[in-house]
Amino acid sequence: QPVTAEDLASTPFKVHTSGGTTGFPRLTLFDPVALEVQAIQTARALWAQGTRPGDAVQITYTLAMANAGYCGLYACLHWLGAMPVTTGSGVVTPSERQLEYALKIGTTAWYGRAEYLARLVQVASETGFDLRSLKTKRLHSFLGPDVDGHLRKQLEEAWGCPVYDNYGTHEIGQIAFECEAQDGKHISEDTVYLETADVETGAVLPAGERGNLVVTSLHRSTPPIIRYDLRDLLVAYERSECSCGLCTRKLSMFLGRSDEMVKLRGTNVYPMACQSAVTADPRATGEFLCVVAYSGEGLSRREAMTVRVEKKSDEIDDAAFAADMEAALHRDLSVRVAVEI
């Protein structure tokens, strides 16, 4: 990164990392401008979704090496006048205690991953805690490839409030957010310039076509981020006026990562595309793992994928559950995969 020892001595930097899901986490420096712009991006999202001064926002991202938690913290403290409740993840503050804090403090909004908000639903059920006893007005989350809306619907029914989807990355912050109209995600166009590129050729695609998101940050300088291919699959739309009054380009639902694609019998399969079928089945916890391996030798060597799906209880019939999941995944993926419960 283009930073010298003299730079470090003259400018306050903070080091953050990516999530590290594909190897050692990427170390990235953030100068004061980068930190504040990410806070502004997040504050815009929270405001557009209804959070106001005086709200208590429970942040279930741990304030550690990743920057998501700090985006929420600085958004509340520096720009919204909302009170951050920095409980972190369940590893830092046990999930049962998170719910107790929310009850005592009067948490009105949660800022966290959809998977963890679903985990809190499970903990509440196991411990007899009534989620509706909380003052929760909204969930600010990242739903992933919830194309059919199953995960959002389950969370909204359990928590009794709307769930708002957002999109962002370690390098460029929370660049897109739903408003209360929930009609696509507004892009903070004064902080990022977006293109979509063909997965195979890298050619820039017209608006409305799915491709890899290629980003140029308008506020990052250490390091500069110029035409960075995130390998996230999305659709970017032309600018239009929303019923909320904003006039921006919008982003689609997150559709998976192109670098996770596997080719099964001539069909391109993105593992995250399994999420919709898994979350739609009430017997599943929503957790799944795709395992890809080669079978056969020589010219007959092929990739095969097995989807391991977690069930909610031991009373569930594994064989019937697996058969139903195989059929649902076949419909969504257009190719047959094995299922293990």
Side-chain angles (χ1 to χ4, degrees), residues 277 321-333 336-337 339:
F321 187 15
D324 291 343
M325 284 304 310
E326 287 179 358
L329 289 169
H330 183 220
R331 287 193 299 272
D332 287 356
L333 305 178
R336 293 194 181 279
V337 295
V339 171

Side-chain angles (χ1 to χ4, degrees), residues 164-224:
Y164 295 102
D165 191 25
N166 301 276
Y167 173 80
T169 77
H170 158 71
E171 297 88 354
I172 56 173
Q174 188 173 325
I175 64 164
F177 55 90
E178 283 187 331
C179 62
E180 289 182 291
Q182 294 183 318
D183 181 23
K185 289 190 280 291
H186 292 283
I187 299 169
S188 284
E189 293 187 75
D190 56 344
T191 70
V192 67
Y193 179 77
L194 297 184
E195 300 167 283
T196 47
D198 184 270
V199 173
E200 302 293 338
T201 67
V204 175
L205 299 171
E209 292 193 21
R210 185 177 81 164
N212 283 339
L213 200 65
V214 178
V215 299
T216 295
S217 174
L218 303 181
H219 67 278
R220 296 302 306 272
S221 58
T222 50

